[in-house]
Amino acid sequence: MRDSVRSSALALLLGLATVTATVAPVPALAQDNASFQAYLESLRPKARAMGIGDGTLNSVFPGLTPNARVIQLDQSQPGGGAYSPIPNFEPYRRQHVDAARITRGRTAYRANRGRLARIEAETGVPEEIMVAIYGHETNYGSYTGDFDLIRSLATLSWEGRRRALFEPELLATLKMLDNGVPRSRLVGSWAGATGYPQFLPSVYLRLAKDGDGDGKADIWTSEADALASIANYFVQSGWRRGQPWGVAVSVPAGLNRAAIAARTTPPRCPRVFNRHSRWLTIAEWRKLGLAPASGIWPADSMLATLLEPDGPGQTAYLLTSNYRVILDYNCSNFYALSVGLLADAVKQ
């Protein structure tokens, strides 16, 4: 997806990431169709255990071939150590929260107000947050990817480097097909993200919702279903009703950053969470001299962490637990900040 692996199941995608110019050579094994077919056949017991019928497998496995391109894309993903220097956020913000994306977001917002208001009332997830995720993932449905999910995931699973991540997604895709999702719908990013929300197949099976009452969870052509599914993802990740994602602030020059440094080692996404301070209440941040850019503070009792994505002296952000929910969708500070800022701009 972006510059980081999406947390939990979604974390493995990286489906829309920019690929570096130098690509690792594809192993000769990638051309070994006999080995590929043998691997597919080895999945039958696992597929049957999930209730996937042999008829579904027989409709897919014969003639399926590995896709060398997806192996190249997977091997070329950029790295980055947990403590490597953070790049500046501002260039990313200008590219991803630009006038065109804001304008299209406002159009999508207005077009869906009725269903958005209903979903927010049911879930507590703000209308504008749903729209911002939709905008960031597929530019409001304008690009959802055109890789054959079954072929891509079968290739990545068979290649083996990250089989533990990709094989369950392949099986989930086969389950979707067995459940009646048309094969023509099963397209997306090279790493398995699909539909307007760019869900992994396993996430689709768990969280996709019918938002328009037609009995189907169609995240590929129905904005109502896609938005309801995004909201359901956020609810299941712990979104707190009525709490903002964060607030832009100015930080006094004399702030003692050592005194607010986080005291624990993050168990996941260390490159992301190492950038955050420890948790303090808004009242405590006020006493330290921080000031909101909007002039409006959240409630004094609310807990927040400080992130300075462009370094001292630039715009900083106090981030709530709802920001962590956005990170659960894609564990990247740049992504989560841009979602929050786009949401704020769309609502204006």
Side-chain angles (χ1 to χ4, degrees), residues 243-244 246-247 249 282-283 286 292 294 296-302 304 318 320:
Q243 179 173 281
V247 58
V249 295
I282 293 296
R286 290 176 61 185
S294 65
I296 302 173
W297 278 112
D300 277 357
S301 60
M302 190 173 296
L318 289 178
T320 73

Side-chain angles (χ1 to χ4, degrees), residues 25-41:
V26 178
L29 188 64
Q31 308 307 319
D32 187 346
N33 288 327
S35 170
F36 183 69
Q37 283 296 323
Y39 169 70
L40 294 178
E41 289 300 317

Side-chain angles (χ1 to χ4, degrees), residues 228-269:
S229 298
I230 290 168
N232 192 39
Y233 185 101
F234 274 49
V235 168
Q236 298 304 316
S237 296
W239 186 270
R240 295 186 179 183
R241 185 186 293 266
Q243 179 173 281
W245 64 270
V247 58
V249 295
S250 61
V251 178
L255 180 68
N256 182 354
R257 290 171 176 81
I260 61 169
R263 297 169 180 172
T264 59
T265 301
R268 67 180 181 91
C269 299

